[in-house]
Amino acid sequence: SSFQSQVASRSSSFGDMESMASMTPMTAAWMPKEMMSEDSEVLMAVSRLAARVLFEPTPKTSAGVAAMVEVLKPKLYQYFGGHSQSSNGLLLLRDEQSQLAGMAGVVVEKLPGFQDEVPRVCYLVIDPRLHGQGFGSMLVRQCEDWAKARGHRAIWLFVLRHKEGLCQWYSKMGYQTVTHLTDTVPVPGQGEMEGTVQMLGREVTLKRKPL
């Protein structure tokens, strides 16, 4: 299928070739929208993965993860569920046992200060146990292909400004900084606040790559 790609043998300019050779075989596929209903297993799975990994500081307890899941589920369903717009897509990375190991989304929407709706990469998450094996760059490239196939000439993304290593990683992949702005993001509570989520303003960098 054109929607599937076996990535076990795929090399990456950002990955260690030795780790690539020994890594677990993975399959990346675009999720059919009808799979994601408001009470579907896939919505819970992607919400839990994002809740555990995507936002800092990461939750330390099951209550902390559950609180983040409740924040993320409605947004993920809005973007990628059965009634979301057709130009949005969610790419799922699964292992040989079909367990979710990573994901990346493409959402077409208006960005702050821009007139037109444009595609952006979002919810790029790789299970931490699989970091450094080239899966992140592979998913980003497939998101770029998704946008290009739908006639877009550029793709965008936000990255937290303080994540300098991630900003540099995107720069190596051809993403150029457009501007810096403040965005509201969910932040897991810490210490006595564990199990809560605060919506806080964070400095983010908007990046763009021509396609």
Side-chain angles (χ1 to χ4, degrees):
S1 162
S2 61
F3 287 137
Q4 300 239 346
S5 74
Q6 295 290 335
V7 298
S9 61
R10 178 134 182 183
S11 65
S12 163
S13 57
F14 306 104
D16 179 330
M17 291 305 292
E18 290 183 7
S19 67
M20 289 293 300
S22 62
M23 74 188 195
T24 308
M26 294 283 170
T27 302
W30 293 97
M31 181 199 72
K33 289 185 182 298
E34 58 270 19
M35 278 182 62
M36 184 181 281
S37 62
E38 289 184 274
D39 58 355
S40 60
E41 287 184 19
V42 69
L43 178 57
M44 179 57 77
V46 297
S47 298
R48 281 188 60 81
L49 180 62
R52 286 193 299 111
V53 177
L54 190 56
F55 297 97
E56 293 184 341
T58 53
K60 304 289 191 298
T61 65
S62 57
V65 172
M68 282 297 291
V69 165
E70 290 308 306
V71 172
L72 292 169
K73 273 178 68 177
K75 198 70 176 177
L76 285 159
Y77 180 72
Q78 174 192 338
Y79 279 154
F80 307 114
H83 301 293
S84 60
Q85 64 183 50
S86 60
S87 53
N88 293 356
L90 185 62
L91 183 63
L92 304 180
L93 183 71
R94 296 185 182 277
D95 64 19
E96 287 182 300
Q97 287 75 45
S98 296
Q99 295 298 306
L100 185 68
M103 66 188 205
V106 179
V107 171
V108 177
E109 62 184 2
K110 285 186 179 179
L111 299 179
F114 293 87
Q115 293 293 318
D116 299 327
E117 292 192 338
V118 295
R120 69 178 179 93
V121 180
C122 57
Y123 294 103
L124 174 63
V125 187
I126 304 294
D127 188 302
R129 293 170 295 181
L130 300 172
H131 284 180
Q133 296 188 34
F135 292 123
S137 53
M138 186 272 297
L139 293 185
V140 170
R141 290 194 189 98
Q142 292 205 27
C143 288
E144 294 166 0
D145 291 344
W146 169 279
K148 190 172 183 178
R150 284 154 182 79
H152 296 286
R153 296 181 179 178
I155 193 164
W156 308 67
L157 55 82
F158 290 114
V159 59
L160 287 167
R161 192 171 179 179
H162 73 270
K163 289 193 170 186
E164 294 182 6
L166 191 57
C167 286
Q168 292 172 2
W169 183 75
Y170 281 123
S171 295
K172 288 179 182 177
M173 292 189 68
Y175 287 82
Q176 300 153 350
T177 296
V178 177
T179 189
H180 304 290
L181 46 90
T182 301
D183 193 20
T184 302
V185 300
V187 178
Q190 297 293 295
E192 293 181 356
M193 298 293 288
E194 183 79 41
T196 66
V197 177
Q198 295 176 287
M199 302 302 294
L200 300 177
R202 289 287 185 264
E203 287 290 312
V204 297
T205 299
L206 178 62
K207 288 180 165 287
R208 174 185 182 273
K209 179 179 181 176
L211 296 176

